[in-house]
């Protein structure tokens, strides 16, 4: 089967697969009022997930990141990891988590085939962590990160959303942490969503400002690897860890897009923003539907736009990042 490719020559080998909308944190930039179900949740079943993974793997998907909400809230999360890891065409199994279950289950998930973990840690100040996330779980999350490092994961990344007036003074503390800790620290520029224009205007901090500061302190730009996508990564000879910047408002941000998204209810999203998604669930009921699924995927890639429209303040239908896995 031919690899998924759009009309702009971009090839897509990376799938972000959400398995639940539910989250137990109340992050101010995502779910400030906590998770509120829209009707009775009906998330993808293990059978549907297996057929979804097989379909994407057949058209060149080599990396799958399991996302949410908080994906580990699913009682069958370990089974989901096994399904993804057991597909011979998928060579990278990753997840993004708030880390609250990591301490108890890091080794179990590693043994199931998970190899890369991104943990959201928006501040290294416990009080600010609580203010941003709405949960007093800083120490628990940090112990989870230690457990992930001990379990042998090939890559542990820390995600922090940059927030003016909140965690923008944390950079020295983050840098001190990664001086002797081999983790990737990734700063994500705040993106405007449908529910957050006022919040965005109050707290948006341009990633380019952080980039300039890093360069002044001797951090060097790393040439991107094939699966880096739009992230800009930096390293420093005095530090064991690396820093990555995701700057959606930077020039040509979308030129290196290499990822697609499927929501927890089985909708394909060609972009984090701008469109309603296309239902795939009717073609995930049986493995005999795989050719039809692949045909639909190829057809939808022809509709992918060259860029998002965030610069024009158009956020599409994305009310919050938890709804399609960030």
């Amino acid at each position: 089967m031919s690899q998924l490719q759009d009309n702009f020559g971009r090839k897509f080998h990376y799938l972000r697969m959400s398995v639940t909308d539910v989250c137990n944190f109340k992050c101010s930039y995502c779910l400030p009022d906590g998770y509120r179900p829209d009707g009775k949740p009906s998330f993808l079943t293990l059978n549907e997930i297996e057929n979804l993974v097989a379909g994407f793997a057949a058209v060149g998907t080599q990396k799958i990141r399991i996302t949410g909400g908080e994906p580990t809230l699913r009682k069958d999360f370990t089974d989901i990891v096994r399904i993804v890891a057991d597909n011979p065409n998928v060579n990278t199994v990753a997840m993004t988590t708030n880390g609250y279950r990591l301490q108890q289950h890091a080794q179990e998930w590693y043994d199931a085939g998970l190899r890369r973990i991104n943990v959201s840690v928006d501040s290294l100040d416990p009080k600010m962590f609580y203010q941003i996330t709405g949960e007093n779980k800083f120490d628990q999350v940090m112990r989870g990160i230690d457990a992930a490092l001990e379990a042998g994961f090939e890559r542990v990344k820390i995600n922090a959303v940059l927030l003016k007036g909140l965690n923008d003074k944390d950079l020295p503390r983050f840098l001190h942490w990664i001086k002797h800790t081999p983790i990737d620290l990734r700063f994500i520029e705040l993106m405007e969503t449908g529910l957050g224009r006022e919040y965005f205007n109050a707290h948006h901090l341009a990633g380019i400002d952080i980039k300039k500061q890093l360069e002044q302190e001797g951090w060097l730009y790393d040439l991107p690897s094939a699966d880096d996508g739009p992230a800009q990564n930096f390293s420093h000879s005095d530090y064991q860890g690396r820093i990555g910047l995701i700057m959606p408002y930077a020039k040509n941000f979308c030129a290196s897009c290499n990822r697609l998204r499927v929501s927890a209810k089985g909708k394909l999203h060609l972009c984090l923003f701008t469109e309603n998604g296309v239902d795939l669930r009717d073609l995930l009921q049986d493995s005999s539907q795989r050719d039809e699924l692949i045909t639909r995927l190829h057809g939808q890639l022809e509709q992918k736009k060259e860029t998002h429209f965030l610069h024009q303040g158009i956020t599409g239908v994305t009310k919050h990042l938890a709804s399609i896995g960030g």
Side-chain angles (χ1 to χ4, degrees):
M1 296 288 184
S2 58
Q3 183 170 21
L4 293 175
Q5 182 171 326
D6 67 10
N7 292 329
F8 306 97
R10 295 174 296 197
K11 296 181 179 180
F12 297 87
H13 60 266
Y14 176 13
L15 172 65
R16 296 178 63 97
M17 180 181 69
S18 179
V19 295
T20 180
D21 290 351
V22 183
C23 188
N24 58 329
F25 279 27
K26 299 182 285 292
C27 295
S28 59
Y29 54 82
C30 185
L31 289 173
D33 299 320
Y35 174 73
R36 296 184 176 183
D38 182 14
K40 185 178 180 180
S42 178
F43 304 128
L44 291 173
T45 65
L46 292 179
N47 176 65
E48 289 170 331
I49 289 171
E50 185 171 10
N51 289 325
L52 177 72
V53 169
F56 270 89
V59 286
T61 297
Q62 299 174 12
K63 176 180 179 180
I64 293 181
R65 177 175 298 280
I66 306 167
T67 69
E70 171 48 43
T72 66
L73 286 173
R74 283 191 57 151
K75 295 179 180 179
D76 56 0
F77 178 75
T78 303
D79 295 324
I80 294 172
V81 171
R82 287 197 189 96
I83 286 171
V84 180
D86 284 348
N87 189 294
N89 294 318
V90 176
N91 55 36
T92 302
V93 185
M95 81 155 169
T96 297
T97 176
N98 60 30
Y100 93 106
R101 294 185 69 201
L102 198 50
Q103 182 182 5
Q104 292 80 14
H105 297 281
Q107 191 65 56
E108 173 189 334
W109 296 334
Y110 180 86
D111 293 342
L114 191 66
R115 288 297 177 265
R116 297 184 181 184
I117 291 184
N118 285 22
V119 187
S120 297
V121 182
D122 292 307
S123 177
L124 294 179
D125 176 353
K127 291 182 179 178
M128 181 56 65
F129 180 93
Y130 176 59
Q131 182 176 341
I132 294 174
T133 67
E135 294 291 335
N136 189 22
K137 290 185 168 68
F138 175 77
D139 290 338
Q140 182 177 336
V141 171
M142 297 303 288
R143 289 194 298 269
I145 293 169
D146 290 339
L149 292 169
E150 292 170 6
F153 285 93
E154 65 183 44
R155 185 170 295 175
V156 178
K157 290 183 180 179
I158 304 303
N159 290 343
V161 177
L162 295 172
L163 300 167
K164 182 172 65 177
L166 292 173
N167 64 2
D168 51 341
K169 302 296 190 296
D170 267 18
L171 184 59
R173 197 181 304 213
F174 275 117
L175 291 178
H176 178 74
W177 185 29
I178 66 173
K179 192 173 184 69
H180 303 293
T181 308
I183 57 176
D184 283 13
L185 178 61
R186 180 160 286 186
F187 291 118
I188 303 170
E189 186 173 351
L190 181 66
M191 294 169 275
E192 184 180 348
T193 58
L195 292 180
R197 178 159 296 184
E198 183 177 340
Y199 187 94
F200 176 82
N201 290 336
H203 297 295
H204 177 253
L205 178 64
I208 193 69
D209 294 339
I210 302 297
K211 179 179 178 180
K212 290 177 181 177
Q213 183 176 343
L214 291 173
E215 290 175 337
Q216 290 172 357
E217 296 180 8
W219 288 82
L220 301 177
Y221 176 69
D222 297 333
L223 292 176
S225 62
D227 65 351
D228 278 342
Q232 296 186 31
N233 294 304
F234 299 83
S235 58
H236 194 297
S237 58
D238 294 336
Y239 290 78
Q240 289 192 33
R242 292 196 311 166
I243 292 179
L245 298 176
I246 296 182
M247 301 181 289
Y249 295 91
K251 185 178 180 181
N252 297 325
F253 175 76
C254 297
S256 57
C257 182
N258 62 357
R259 64 204 62 194
L260 298 170
R261 293 171 171 84
V262 172
S263 74
K265 296 181 180 179
K267 280 193 172 185
L268 170 69
H269 290 268
L270 303 175
C271 179
L272 185 55
F273 299 94
T274 74
E275 37 80 27
N276 288 289
V278 176
D279 197 10
L280 301 178
R281 200 163 194 175
D282 59 310
L283 299 180
L284 302 178
Q285 304 312 305
D286 191 88
S287 60
S288 64
Q289 299 174 291
R290 188 164 306 155
D291 288 348
E292 193 176 352
L293 171 63
I294 288 170
T295 298
R296 185 175 295 177
L297 293 176
H298 278 295
Q300 290 304 311
L301 261 295
E302 295 181 3
Q303 311 301 318
K304 185 168 172 61
K305 303 291 192 297
E306 186 174 12
T307 184
H308 59 56
F309 299 98
L310 290 176
H311 293 92
Q312 293 97 312
I314 299 173
T315 62
V317 301
T318 304
K319 292 183 178 182
H320 51 74
L321 300 181
S323 63
I324 55 171

